[in-house]
Amino acid sequence: MQFKYLKQLLCLFLMMIVVYVPNVVFASLNKTIIFVPHDNRPISFKQTADNIRDLGYEVLTPPEELLGNRENPYAKPEELSKWVIENAKKADAAVISSDSMIYGSLVASRKHNLSEDVVLARVHNFEKIHQANPNMKLYVFGSIMRTPQTSEASGSEDANYYAQYGTDIARYTALTDKLEQDGLTHKERKQLKQYEQKIPKAALDDWLSRRQGNFLVSKNLIDLARNDVITYLALGCDDNAKYSQTNKERRALDNYGSDLGELKYQSVAGIDEIGYVLLTRAVNNLQGDIPFVSVHYAKGTGENTIPAYSNEPIKNSIATHIKMAGGMKVNSDKRADLVFMVNTNFDGTTGAANDLNNVYIPNENIIDFVNMVDEAVQANKKVGIGDITFGNGSDNALMFSLYGKNLLDKLNAYSGWNTPTNSTGYALAMGMGANYTDRVGILKMLEVRYLDDWLYQANIRQAVANRLNSMPGEGDYGNTKTRTLPAEKLATEALQKMIADYGLEKFEGQSYVADAQIRFPWQRMFEADIVFPEEKVSVEEKIEK
């Protein structure tokens, strides 16, 4: 009972922060939020915005041609800024990617050749947004430039020379970071000198100079948060490691913003999920609520798992994501608005969802985990799952076991897409948002994740990839080119069959799911758009045309 009163006091305090600003009182809340993602990928843009719309909010998004895409990651930042300024007076809150506003997109932040003067001038567009509507809460998220650990991991989304020297650059900067943190052995010092000689000076200078410009942008964003232009700033560490240039810069930025406190600034491992996390923060603040979240892990390494693409234990990332989203971590399920469960490998490793070892037969760890989920659901708890045994897709054994126990339509949140921290952050945001909608609304959000993360990413993706070479035309996994349409057709057929096999269209209010289709808007198989029949013409119609 005492805890209940504490929550009421916390929520009252939050309401006072949201509603009262010096010299300004909001007469009403129109539940309107501007959202600028860091590119136009479906999960970054449409799927995230739709999840907030499903909560009853109006979400204003810019014309898609102003956002970065695969063909043109540099987009139109100046026009985008004008659009935000023009629409600012209509909104109660705005969640904005600084990468889109300054560089054009997340990918452009890694490859641009903009001068320091240009990028710093664009930072000041946030002051113009604030001036256009001082009452609007301005939530900003940006990336600390990533350090892919291998040339292959870059996926051609970094400067061209990274394809050749990326692995060496990552190892070189890992050593420079380790030197700063822990010191180097004699052998490591020799390795450092070898990398200095091996990597062309022009390539390394270019990479580091771009990072320096981006680093200055992040410092200026922290200054804007310090001056209350930005209500809250989140910086995400894209592909990262314990020792890396990304990790080194994060420490420096956290130190620079140390005076702000967690209510103004935080950094976290991960980036693609942060738009959704901050939209959830905006909703929680507008609702005047602080969701309480309890967290449980699978047996074994569990909370101490350091997942792929991250530099910290998953428990740290989850704790930060909860705070970023405007929630509070609690130790008791009885007090929790969301019971969040994290599916991890017993040994703490992260596999790849499209590998052959992503089987449907559950091991003892999965059986125990699903029983834990079942117990919470049976106790009428609101349960969310962050599925990180594998990266870039679901754990088949987990999903098949949840299906076998009729738990798929009982959850409040689920995610198993992209990197592990992307998955946990996304699922946490979904679980908190579920407090503001009904069961049909929750299922609508869940269905997209089941179709994308489970059916497509963990199963259909590799099956279609294996048949690409037999299709007419040109294209491969990374660029489907003229094979895009037949690949979409094959993937759609497989998707619809699996939907029927698992009865996903039979969930309450979800009959439309039976005709779901798959698109590859970036002409690569790494991500898919899940399209429902009322949105697009069929694949067959496109081919006929």
Side-chain angles (χ1 to χ4, degrees):
M1 186 65 68
Q2 208 170 20
F3 200 86
K4 179 180 178 182
Y5 292 137
L6 173 61
K7 180 174 182 179
Q8 290 174 345
L9 286 170
L10 283 169
C11 291
L12 180 61
F13 177 68
L14 180 62
M15 283 288 287
M16 291 174 68
I17 294 175
V18 171
V19 178
Y20 296 104
V21 178
N23 303 319
V24 177
V25 178
F26 290 102
S28 63
L29 292 176
N30 298 316
K31 299 180 73 173
T32 301
I33 303 173
I34 290 173
F35 176 49
V36 176
H38 54 216
D39 55 41
N40 75 336
R41 282 175 296 165
I43 195 163
S44 302
F45 184 29
K46 186 186 75 173
Q47 292 175 10
T48 291
D50 284 348
N51 283 351
I52 302 301
R53 292 183 180 114
D54 289 341
L55 308 182
Y57 281 79
E58 181 181 6
V59 181
L60 305 178
T61 56
E64 195 163 349
E65 63 267 20
L66 301 185
L67 299 174
N69 56 53
R70 180 174 184 172
E71 297 302 318
N72 180 22
Y74 305 103
K76 301 175 181 178
E78 295 296 351
E79 291 182 38
L80 180 61
S81 293
K82 290 177 183 177
W83 180 88
V84 175
I85 292 167
E86 289 170 1
N87 285 274
K89 291 182 180 179
K90 304 175 186 177
D92 303 289
V95 175
I96 298 177
S97 162
S98 61
D99 290 334
S100 286
M101 299 285 284
I102 295 166
Y103 313 109
S105 70
L106 176 62
V107 171
S109 73
R110 310 164 185 159
K111 302 170 71 169
H112 71 88
N113 291 308
L114 299 170
S115 70
E116 197 172 287
D117 288 342
V118 169
V119 295
L120 293 180
R122 288 179 178 176
V123 169
H124 294 294
N125 283 328
F126 286 104
E127 293 178 322
K128 297 176 184 177
I129 295 168
H130 177 66
Q131 291 165 3
N133 183 359
N135 298 347
M136 182 182 71
K137 299 296 181 182
L138 183 54
Y139 306 91
V140 176
F141 65 104
S143 65
I144 301 173
M145 188 173 157
R146 73 177 186 170
T147 309
Q149 294 304 290
T150 64
S151 299
E152 292 76 17
S154 169
S156 74
E157 292 185 0
D158 297 85
N160 291 336
Y161 52 76
Y162 213 89
Q164 183 173 358
Y165 299 106
T167 303
D168 293 332
I169 290 172
R171 291 174 181 171
Y172 168 77
T173 61
L175 289 170
T176 60
D177 186 27
K178 188 171 187 288
L179 174 63
E180 183 176 294
Q181 290 192 67
D182 305 319
L184 298 178
T185 64
H186 178 70
K187 180 180 179 181
E188 288 170 336
R189 289 181 181 275
K190 287 181 66 176
Q191 290 174 335
L192 184 62
K193 289 183 179 179
Q194 289 170 354
Y195 285 126
E196 286 175 345
Q197 295 170 355
K198 185 177 182 181
I199 303 167
K201 187 176 185 300
L204 188 59
D205 286 349
D206 177 77
W207 194 72
L208 290 174
S209 65
R210 184 176 298 106
R211 298 193 73 102
Q212 179 60 22
N214 291 12
F215 181 81
L216 289 176
V217 164
S218 295
K219 289 184 70 174
N220 274 258
L221 291 172
I222 290 172
D223 289 338
L224 292 180
R226 185 176 285 118
N227 295 330
D228 294 322
V229 171
I230 293 174
T231 306
Y232 179 86
L233 173 65
L235 294 179
C237 297
D238 208 356
D239 297 359
N240 198 9
K242 181 180 179 181
Y243 297 117
S244 66
Q245 186 67 22
T246 304
N247 190 40
K248 184 177 182 180
E249 291 167 11
R250 179 187 181 183
R251 291 197 310 276
L253 290 167
D254 285 350
N255 182 62
Y256 185 72
S258 61
D259 60 305
L260 294 180
E262 294 175 348
L263 291 177
K264 294 290 293 182
Y265 164 76
Q266 285 182 283
S267 69
V268 71
I271 181 61
D272 285 346
E273 75 284 3
I274 298 182
Y276 191 14
V277 171
L278 290 197
L279 281 166
T280 302
R281 184 183 185 91
V283 168
N284 283 329
N285 286 347
L286 290 170
Q287 294 283 154
D289 195 15
I290 303 173
F292 290 163
V293 182
S294 62
V295 185
H296 301 272
Y297 297 85
K299 290 183 178 179
T301 308
E303 66 179 14
N304 294 312
T305 295
I306 300 178
Y309 313 104
S310 180
N311 70 322
E312 64 184 14
I314 192 63
K315 64 182 179 184
N316 294 4
S317 302
I318 287 174
T320 302
H321 276 132
I322 291 171
K323 289 182 281 191
M324 273 189 175
M328 178 180 291
K329 187 176 179 295
V330 295
N331 295 324
S332 171
D333 290 351
K334 292 181 180 179
R335 299 164 177 169
D337 300 297
L338 174 68
V339 178
F340 191 63
M341 299 190 174
V342 188
N343 179 38
T344 53
N345 235 331
F346 189 85
D347 63 3
T349 59
T350 305
N354 59 342
D355 284 352
L356 293 176
N357 62 345
N358 188 5
V359 298
Y360 275 73
I361 301 171
N363 56 31
E364 184 178 340
N365 212 41
I366 290 294
I367 293 170
D368 288 342
F369 183 81
V370 172
N371 285 337
M372 183 168 63
V373 173
D374 191 25
E375 289 176 9
V377 169
Q378 295 302 325
N380 294 317
K381 301 300 180 186
K382 296 177 179 178
V383 178
I385 294 177
D387 185 5
I388 64 170
T389 293
F390 296 96
N392 302 322
S394 301
D395 181 341
N396 278 322
L398 168 66
M399 302 308 288
F400 191 68
S401 298
L402 292 171
Y403 163 75
K405 282 186 171 285
N406 296 314
L407 289 170
L408 289 174
D409 63 340
K410 308 293 192 307
L411 301 178
N412 272 39
Y414 170 84
S415 182
W417 73 287
N418 218 350
T419 72
T421 51
N422 293 160
S423 294
T424 51
Y426 203 93
L428 279 164
M430 186 187 297
M432 291 188 197
N435 290 326
Y436 310 124
T437 188
D438 58 16
R439 175 48 50 179
V440 173
I442 293 169
L443 288 171
K444 187 177 179 183
M445 293 188 287
L446 283 170
E447 289 276 19
V448 178
R449 301 273 54 82
Y450 292 161
L451 272 55
D452 191 345
D453 307 355
W454 179 25
L455 303 188
Y456 176 72
Q457 297 290 353
N459 295 281
I460 297 169
R461 174 166 56 119
Q462 194 58 45
V464 174
N466 290 340
R467 293 180 60 181
L468 270 180
N469 287 339
S470 65
M471 296 176 184
E474 298 180 346
D476 54 29
Y477 181 90
N479 189 345
T480 51
K481 297 181 181 177
T482 58
R483 289 173 173 163
T484 300
L485 289 179
E488 288 177 345
K489 183 176 186 296
L490 184 60
T492 293
E493 290 171 352
L495 180 74
Q496 293 181 359
K497 182 182 184 303
M498 294 187 78
I499 288 169
D501 288 345
Y502 292 109
L504 300 181
E505 84 285 6
K506 296 178 181 177
F507 294 168
E508 183 184 357
Q510 307 302 305
S511 60
Y512 66 95
V513 170
D515 298 316
Q517 300 167 13
I518 285 179
R519 299 285 184 272
F520 302 130
W522 275 38
Q523 291 196 328
R524 64 182 189 183
M525 298 192 64
F526 183 72
E527 65 257 319
D529 189 9
I530 306 299
V531 178
F532 298 108
E534 67 274 13
E535 298 178 41
K536 297 285 184 182
V537 297
S538 69
V539 175
E540 289 80 2
E541 289 174 357
K542 284 179 72 176
I543 292 176
E544 287 172 7
K545 290 179 181 178

